[in-house]
Amino acid sequence: DCLSCASPRLVYESALDQLHAHTPSAINGYAGWCTCETSAVFVAGLREALEEYGQVCIIFDHAAELLKYPEALALLLSLQGLCQDWRVQTIFVAEAAWESFHWTTGFADLLPIRFPSYTSQQLKAVLLAIGPPPSTDSPSANAFANFVPLFIDYYAEICTDVHELRYQCWQAFSNWLKPVRDGLLQISDTEKLLFHA
């Protein structure tokens, strides 16, 4: 996850820790599998993983964060050439379009895979899986499940971004429950709650 790595060095070290199934702990002094002072150390660690596993696939989640480090992005995009082995694969998961990456590394030959937007049913399933806001003391376990379809029916036409919908859903759910918390309505009065909100 590139969000948790504040520098290219941390990206490299995190990748190698995961590839070599290494977890920093008290036993090893909370040290990583290796310290990547240079990109050459990272490439050497990848070669070792290739020898051990035969094939290496590194997935970089939130890859748009790598745009802050053009040199690191160029290195990661050219790992097959640097390792001189086609068995090294890199996958970049990002919401940013390929064009955002291409300006920094025009030489790289990538295969972008685009995923369609969520349908209303999928958005409902995602929001229900995420659940209500952590700070909500819901009077009923079904309250959020009753609220989400109503919310999606209204908001799905306006926005399909899951992160934005989650935020808006949590805000609206809190407002939706206000009459229940104030004792004006019962949680089972779904229709009245809808018009009261």
Side-chain angles (χ1 to χ4, degrees):
D1 184 0
C2 296
L3 282 176
S4 62
C5 299
S7 70
R9 175 182 169 178
L10 292 176
V11 171
Y12 303 151
E13 290 176 359
S14 175
L16 289 177
D17 281 350
Q18 292 175 52
L19 283 172
H20 292 280
H22 176 83
T23 304
S25 64
I27 295 169
N28 56 33
Y30 298 100
W33 182 79
C34 75
T35 302
C36 291
E37 295 292 340
T38 66
S39 57
V41 174
F42 176 62
V43 172
L46 284 178
R47 286 187 180 134
E48 280 189 45
L50 274 170
E51 289 174 19
E52 186 175 346
Y53 300 112
Q55 185 172 358
V56 171
C57 180
I58 308 172
I59 301 171
F60 295 96
D61 197 10
H62 299 104
E65 292 296 311
L66 295 172
L67 291 170
K68 297 176 188 174
Y69 316 111
E71 305 83 23
L73 184 56
L75 173 96
L76 297 173
L77 286 169
S78 57
L79 286 177
Q80 280 186 344
L82 293 170
C83 291
Q84 298 175 341
D85 199 319
W86 60 270
R87 298 173 301 156
V88 176
Q89 304 296 320
T90 50
I91 297 174
F92 298 92
V93 179
E95 293 179 17
W98 160 240
E99 292 76 26
S100 301
F101 292 91
H102 192 264
W103 71 268
T104 59
T105 59
F107 64 88
D109 184 25
L110 289 183
L111 172 65
I113 299 173
R114 290 177 175 69
F115 296 94
S117 296
Y118 289 114
T119 65
S120 291
Q121 288 301 322
Q122 290 169 327
L123 287 171
K124 288 175 190 175
V126 168
L127 289 177
L128 288 172
I130 292 171
S135 60
T136 302
D137 295 329
S138 176
S140 167
N142 296 325
F144 192 70
N146 291 335
F147 172 76
V148 167
L150 301 171
F151 175 81
I152 289 297
D153 288 343
Y154 177 76
Y155 271 93
E157 295 295 318
I158 300 169
C159 176
T160 57
D161 178 77
V162 175
H163 304 296
E164 180 66 21
L165 277 174
R166 180 192 65 207
Y167 174 77
Q168 292 298 331
C169 184
W170 285 1
Q171 295 296 315
F173 183 63
S174 179
N175 291 336
W176 193 66
L177 286 179
K178 189 174 185 329
V180 175
R181 285 193 303 266
D182 293 345
L184 300 173
L185 295 172
Q186 297 296 315
I187 195 66
S188 59
D189 297 332
T190 307
E191 241 180 75
K192 290 179 184 176
L193 282 170
L194 179 62
F195 291 113
H196 198 277

